[in-house]
Amino acid sequence: MTAFILLATLTALASTTRAALFGDAKDLPKVTYDFIVVGGGTAGNVIANRLTENPHISVLVLEAGVSNEGATNTIVPFFCTLASPDTPYDWNFTTSPQEGLNGRSLAYPRGHVLGGSSSINFMAYTRGSSSDWDRYAKFTGDQGWSWDNIQPYIRKNERWTAPADNHNTSGEFNPAVHSKTGINSVSLQGFPQPIDSRVIQATQQSSGDFPFNLDMNSGNHLGIGWLQSTVTGGRRSSSATSYLGPQFINRPNLHVLIGARVTRLIQTGKTRGIPEFRTVEFAMNLQGPRLRLTASKEVVLSAGAVGTPHILLHSGIGDPKSLQKLGIPSLVNLPDVGQNLSDHPLLINVWLVNSTETFEKAGRNATLAAAELQQWNETRSGPLVDTPLDQLGWLRLAANASIFQQFPDPASGANSAHFELLFANGMITPGVPATGNFLSVVTAVVSPVARGAITLATNNPFDAPTINPNILGSEFDVFAMREAVRSTERFLSAPVWQDYIISPFGGLQNATTDAELDTYVRANSATIFHPVGTASMSPKGSRHGVVDPDLRVKGIVGLRVVDASIFPFIPAAHTQAPVYIVAERAADLIKRLWNL
């Protein structure tokens, strides 16, 4: 049996010690902390930053992954396609076979690096629709989650930044809905792509179905417009580079331990008959001893929509029958832990185009690719300063779509999209064909009906959980994806594309009827990696859900969840911005409770 070693032997250093990034638990300069944050990802680093604004409050962040320092593929925006999967910066999860995808299993990237998935994602900054947030407020009974009331937290998070090339951005965004005083940088594209003008001109030629949207972060995101990304000066802006930037991570009351794999939470007693969970058990490697540390105030679980339920279940917090089957003692009956998993199905659609100025130019020319990287290294300019995407659109199914005879509208409101289009000046999948130049339009279902689950495969916390996002598990989702592809075809029929588009490429070539398109959709769809909902919010006192609207775990003292798992419904957004917003509000809720 693995020995359990208390970290009571750690020697506290002088109070003048500067905080730093630690790689070994024995080097930690403290044995007691006010707060322990499990997961140094998108949300966890926000919590650590905001709580340590008070110099009298100590915070330890336990991050299972590696440092983000020097990890080129997590720094250069265009290299985001290389940051995962099958890299040291990814947990390298795989889903269970997906029934809606003809039994295919999918790689399921999650950040295994400081910054979490904000260090490996595609950096899109989208807040969701106003109705997304108003639905959270109505569902939970907490108006603090409404669109109007989250505005201060948007401002606390966002630092609007000039693009890498400092071009004139007039007409590309609305300054009135952005903040220049936050922490995490957001900017527009910093290098023009040849398709940019065509995409925007097509919105003018097809404005009825595809209106131009000046700023999709206004709360009304419908239409097509310029992508905003978490990029600053041609570099990725993650929670690690922003909220744990040098001016913050050097606070003497903030300690960050990387390589610390949390195995479970330990009950530390009871308060008025309610169990307390303030002790964290972790290990620095699979063969090493299990170590324990206890928070005097709270443990904040920010391990993400996969990691958070995995840790809760191994801690005996979940469905008693499922836990008992694996020999895990049931300590708190919360059957919804791991349930309600929701994600955005994704499909990459490709067209052969009449151009030589696409991503394939550098993809087939090692000398040019090396020159582009050298340009980025020397001047932070050139095509690598951006993600592969420059524009995106949010669109709805027709109000009279036949699918609404079978399903109620799953979108949060009339100003919220059913599907999304993302435009790229070339192929964004691994491997470059020997010939041809391409346009990719990614379609994603952003108001999916299907729900999946995170469950335990074994009682070993080092084993990956069973991940079933149930992609395209509802006929609504298949219908919406099919209509997204048809919508893309209509958009590309605008006059501006007539001398550019040659033909569909790959499986789309032979998909014209509804049945053929459905076959194409099921054979080629994947996920955009936006899992949410596995520790979802519900009204205080409700028997369903996992956390109350203040994000404290139901029926437990001393434990809070702050990450994407708390969303009861998936937002019509790339999820990093909503998670930042949740974390900013959570920090205030924690401060209020503890009078900090």
Side-chain angles (χ1 to χ4, degrees):
M1 178 179 293
T2 304
F4 290 88
I5 300 177
L6 295 177
L7 291 183
T9 57
L10 293 175
T11 303
L13 301 183
S15 60
T16 55
T17 300
R18 292 173 63 80
L21 196 64
F22 297 93
D24 194 323
K26 71 176 183 295
D27 296 329
L28 286 174
K30 286 177 66 69
V31 296
T32 59
Y33 293 87
D34 295 305
F35 295 91
I36 297 176
V37 179
V38 178
T42 310
N45 293 339
V46 176
I47 298 298
N49 177 298
R50 293 305 186 185
L51 295 184
T52 54
E53 289 174 333
N54 184 330
H56 303 294
I57 295 299
S58 60
V59 174
L60 171 66
V61 178
L62 296 174
E63 167 54 41
V66 298
S67 171
N68 63 305
E69 290 295 323
T72 301
N73 290 344
T74 74
I75 300 170
V76 180
F78 194 81
F79 288 174
C80 59
T81 59
L82 306 176
S84 67
D86 301 322
T87 74
Y89 317 115
D90 182 12
W91 279 92
N92 296 315
F93 291 132
T94 303
T95 70
S96 60
Q98 298 295 285
E99 183 177 347
L101 303 179
N102 303 326
R104 288 185 292 123
S105 295
L106 304 172
Y108 210 67
R110 299 283 82 207
H112 189 251
V113 57
L114 196 61
S117 293
S118 76
S119 288
I120 67 168
N121 64 14
F122 274 42
M123 291 158 276
Y125 175 83
T126 58
R127 303 168 183 164
S129 66
S130 60
S131 58
D132 281 339
W133 293 93
D134 290 342
R135 177 164 65 171
Y136 298 144
K138 182 177 181 181
F139 178 77
T140 63
D142 181 353
Q143 284 303 306
W145 292 115
S146 70
W147 175 255
D148 287 346
N149 288 326
I150 64 164
Q151 295 307 305
Y153 302 111
I154 289 174
R155 292 192 293 274
K156 290 184 75 171
N157 167 250
E158 183 192 33
R159 179 182 292 272
W160 186 262
T161 307
D165 61 359
N166 288 296
H167 74 270
N168 184 350
T169 56
S170 298
E172 296 181 0
F173 82 113
N174 179 4
V177 300
H178 291 278
S179 165
K180 294 183 178 181
T181 59
I183 291 179
N184 193 40
S185 296
V186 178
S187 67
L188 291 161
Q189 88 293 344
F191 182 84
Q193 293 290 346
I195 64 167
D196 293 349
S197 60
R198 292 181 187 269
V199 173
I200 301 305
Q201 191 173 342
T203 67
Q204 299 163 357
Q205 295 174 344
S206 308
S207 59
D209 292 332
F210 305 99
F212 176 71
N213 187 328
L214 176 63
D215 201 311
M216 56 197 64
N217 279 316
S218 65
N220 295 297
H221 66 184
L222 297 177
I224 293 175
W226 295 95
L227 174 66
Q228 299 167 15
S229 301
T230 47
V231 173
T232 179
R235 297 168 58 98
R236 177 191 292 270
S237 179
S238 68
S239 72
T241 63
S242 59
Y243 283 90
L244 293 186
Q247 69 273 43
F248 303 124
I249 200 170
N250 286 323
R251 290 172 178 166
N253 55 333
L254 171 57
H255 302 153
V256 179
L257 178 64
I258 58 173
R261 179 79 172 266
V262 171
T263 52
R264 60 175 175 157
L265 309 174
I266 306 293
Q267 184 174 343
T268 49
K270 290 187 177 181
T271 299
R272 297 186 297 277
I274 302 173
E276 298 177 4
F277 281 77
R278 290 193 171 99
T279 294
V280 179
E281 178 188 285
F282 65 100
M284 298 307 296
N285 58 69
L286 273 62
Q287 292 76 35
R290 305 276 180 97
L291 312 173
R292 293 182 184 180
L293 283 172
T294 299
S296 63
K297 291 181 168 58
E298 286 187 20
V299 171
V300 180
L301 191 49
S302 298
V306 175
T308 283
H310 187 242
I311 292 169
L312 288 172
L313 292 169
H314 278 290
S315 306
I317 303 168
D319 176 60
K321 292 181 180 179
S322 300
L323 295 175
Q324 288 163 7
K325 288 179 181 178
L326 292 173
I328 298 174
S330 175
L331 301 179
V332 179
N333 181 4
L334 278 179
D336 285 349
V337 171
Q339 302 302 304
N340 193 45
L341 174 60
S342 184
D343 202 347
H344 291 148
L346 165 147
L347 177 60
I348 300 175
N349 309 280
V350 181
W351 282 263
L352 188 67
V353 298
N354 181 26
S355 173
T356 57
E357 298 301 316
T358 64
F359 297 159
E360 289 71 41
K361 185 175 182 179
R364 298 190 185 108
N365 186 330
T367 302
L368 176 59
E372 290 179 351
L373 180 56
Q374 182 178 358
Q375 180 183 4
W376 182 88
N377 273 315
E378 293 177 352
T379 64
R380 295 295 186 266
S381 64
L384 304 188
V385 302
D386 294 328
T387 78
L389 309 168
D390 274 358
Q391 299 86 25
L392 74 167
W394 305 91
L395 301 165
R396 286 179 60 82
L397 298 172
N400 62 354
S402 60
I403 197 68
F404 291 129
Q405 296 174 13
Q406 300 173 249
F407 293 88
D409 187 348
S412 60
N415 72 337
S416 201
H418 295 118
F419 59 89
E420 178 187 17
L421 311 182
L422 303 103
F423 300 88
N425 186 44
M427 278 201 178
I428 56 175
T429 50
V432 180
T435 60
N437 294 81
F438 303 95
L439 165 73
S440 294
V441 183
V442 179
T443 50
V445 178
V446 296
S447 295
V449 168
R451 296 292 184 269
I454 302 292
T455 55
L456 296 185
T458 74
N459 62 9
N460 183 349
F462 293 110
D463 291 340
T466 299
I467 301 171
N468 177 20
N470 198 17
I471 299 297
L472 298 183
S474 166
E475 285 302 317
F476 179 92
D477 301 350
V478 177
F479 182 96
M481 187 67 86
R482 183 210 313 154
E483 291 306 302
V485 175
R486 290 205 183 281
S487 179
T488 304
E489 292 172 334
R490 290 194 299 273
F491 184 75
L492 296 180
S493 70
V496 70
W497 299 106
Q498 286 183 2
D499 65 344
Y500 192 77
I501 301 291
I502 297 174
S503 65
F505 183 80
L508 191 56
Q509 284 178 299
N510 302 311
T512 54
T513 67
D514 282 358
E516 290 168 343
L517 272 174
D518 286 354
T519 298
Y520 162 74
V521 163
R522 290 192 185 277
N524 294 282
S525 291
T527 162
I528 202 167
F529 318 125
H530 293 159
V532 307
T534 51
S536 60
M537 285 191 293
S538 65
K540 191 173 180 61
S542 172
R543 293 185 178 181
H544 66 85
V546 177
V547 299
D548 285 335
D550 62 1
L551 309 185
R552 288 190 283 180
V553 178
K554 293 175 181 291
I556 293 177
V557 172
L559 179 60
R560 200 179 302 247
V561 174
V562 184
D563 58 31
S565 68
I566 64 91
F567 289 113
F569 311 98
I570 194 167
H574 296 249
T575 46
Q576 72 160 340
V579 169
Y580 277 128
I581 295 165
V582 163
E584 284 284 9
R585 183 172 187 234
D588 267 8
L589 292 172
I590 294 169
K591 289 179 177 181
R592 192 175 307 150
L593 177 68
W594 295 99
N595 296 314
L596 303 180

